[in-house]
Structure formats: structure tokens, C-alpha cells
Amino acid sequence: DADVTQTPRNRITKTGKRIMLECSQTKGHDRMYWYRQDPGLGLRLIYYSFDVKDINKGEISDGYSVSRQAQAKFSLSLESAIPNQTALYFCATSDSGGVYGYTFGSGTRLTVV
Amino acid sequence: QKEVEQNSGPLSVPEGAIASLNCTYSDRGSQSFFWYRQYSGKSPELIMFIYSNGDKEDGRFTAQLNKASQYVSLLIRDSQPSDSATYLCAVNKGNAGNMLTFGGGTRLMVKP
């Protein structure tokens, strides 16, 4: 099994729908992150969590919310999806020291029509 | 000025050649540096990390760090078509909770 698992892998949804992307990890890491990637724009940080009780906004949090249900689980929600949220979404984890960088999940390709 | 800068490319090299990918960073206090490879539509995967000035080799890959000049590079020897991907440079500035700042990536194309 993968160290960082994202579900679903692909999703097509309609404008205005609520959608949740899920991430779980077996790395035992405290820290978890959500990024989106658009062609030509690189990785952009949406939200991050340093532990279960610590949630922080990233550079592009508008239109998104998150929930850290447990050390191993971090979910990203789009409350009312819009077409410009069509992107590739990645979850990542790291230890607190950042010694070994981030481990990324396989990604979720989200299309909002 | 972006915190971590990379030439977006594409960098095109012939098979068997050395590919040289460069990254500059703005925070002089940055402590550790990472190179990720990302195939189209796939997730970034860690290739190497480097903390100290100088070279670090791992197989066909060599990371080079020069803190005085604030650049880090990745050399890929004997480039193969399977090396064609986008290479992301990431920097841990040591503050902001040891979070990574990513560059925009350089697209590498290795032509047979």
C-alpha cells in the first residue's frame, strides 16, 4: 500500500456541488498539506496542518476548507465547486524537522463542469 | 523576486548527454534543498536532498550546492528518454516551521 493515499483518483463534478477529497497516510508524520497544481503554475499551497489541533491557511485557501480527523487523515472540501477549481490536487506529509522533505500522494484530478 | 526560481524550459538534451538543471533561492538562511521529479499527471517524487556545500552523488544524479551564490543544481549523467519530466527544486528556509518552498519546475526533454 502507498504511504500517502488519496481518494478519489479522478472526479468530475458539477458547478455548485460540494465535494470532499480525502488523504490518509501510514508514514506516522505529524504534518500534512494540500496543494493544487495547474498547468504552468506549479504547486500552490491550499492548507496545512502541523498536528490534529493545528490548521493553517495557505496562499490560496478561498473556496476550500479542511478537516484533520486524526493524525493520519486530512480532508479537503470544496463547499461549492466552481470551474476554476479544476486542477490536480496533491496531499503531502512530512515530519516536523523537514529532514527528508515531503512525501506526496498520487493526486486527485478534479474536473468541475 | 520569487523565493525559489527555476527556468521553466523546456531543456532539451540528446540521449546520453549530461542534463544540468539550476535553481536559485533568495533566503540566505535556507538550510536544506530538495530535488523532485514529476512525470506529467503524476505526483512529485523525491530524487535527492542536500544540506552542505559541495556535491552529493547518487547513481546518475549529482546535486550541487553553493550557499554563497545561493544556487543549487542537479546534474543527470547519461540522460535517458525516461528522464524526461519536470524537475522541481524545493527549499527549506529553516523558519516557517521547516516548510518547503517550491520552484515552478524545469521541464526536461531527452531526445533519442
Side-chain angles (χ1 to χ4, degrees):
Chain A
D1 289 340
D3 292 328
V4 183
T5 301
Q6 291 184 236
T7 56
R9 294 293 304 273
N10 293 281
R11 180 73 180 266
I12 300 173
T13 192
K14 293 183 177 180
T15 298
K17 292 292 188 181
R18 184 179 189 273
I19 183 170
M20 178 181 289
L21 309 183
E22 299 186 331
C23 177
S24 63
Q25 54 116 344
T26 58
K27 298 284 289 184
H29 287 163
D30 291 326
R31 299 181 173 192
M32 299 186 75
Y33 312 84
W34 275 105
Y35 286 89
R36 69 176 278 176
Q37 189 174 43
D38 300 272
L41 291 181
L43 291 167
R44 291 188 290 168
L45 183 63
I46 306 172
Y47 271 95
Y48 62 100
S49 171
F50 281 0
D51 64 41
V52 175
K53 296 182 180 180
D54 180 76
I55 304 289
N56 303 280
K57 293 181 178 180
E59 58 182 305
I60 55 160
S61 59
D62 287 349
Y64 301 94
S65 63
V66 291
S67 173
R68 185 82 184 265
Q69 299 96 325
Q71 187 206 31
K73 296 189 174 185
F74 193 35
S75 300
L76 176 72
S77 293
L78 286 68
E79 298 302 325
S80 179
I82 56 177
N84 77 0
Q85 291 178 313
T86 293
L88 190 52
Y89 289 84
F90 291 109
C91 174
T93 73
S94 74
D95 61 26
S96 58
V99 175
Y100 300 108
Y102 293 178
T103 301
F104 286 86
S106 298
T108 294
R109 183 170 295 282
L110 177 66
T111 303
V112 183
V113 297
Chain B
Q1 180 186 8
K2 293 182 180 178
E3 294 183 82
V4 180
E5 291 206 63
Q6 298 179 254
N7 188 317
S8 61
L11 171 66
S12 182
V13 300
E15 183 175 357
I18 296 175
S20 178
L21 305 164
N22 299 313
C23 172
T24 59
Y25 58 94
S26 60
D27 192 322
R28 188 169 288 278
S30 296
Q31 297 183 350
S32 52
F33 308 85
F34 301 81
W35 282 101
Y36 287 82
R37 177 177 63 200
Q38 185 178 24
Y39 293 112
S40 181
K42 304 297 184 182
S43 61
E45 56 178 324
L46 182 66
I47 300 175
M48 294 186 69
F49 56 87
I50 186 168
Y51 296 155
S52 303
N53 276 329
D55 295 359
K56 180 181 178 183
E57 186 174 319
D58 183 0
R60 295 188 297 113
F61 298 96
T62 299
Q64 299 177 319
L65 175 61
N66 184 322
K67 289 187 176 181
S69 299
Q70 295 176 238
Y71 81 80
V72 57
S73 60
L74 179 70
L75 302 180
I76 306 174
R77 290 182 300 280
D78 188 24
S79 296
Q80 301 297 309
S82 58
D83 295 324
S84 298
T86 296
Y87 290 79
L88 303 174
C89 171
V91 174
N92 179 348
K93 297 187 289 185
N95 53 15
N98 288 318
M99 291 179 63
L100 297 187
T101 301
F102 287 86
T106 297
R107 183 178 165 212
L108 172 66
M109 297 175 60
V110 181
K111 298 192 172 182

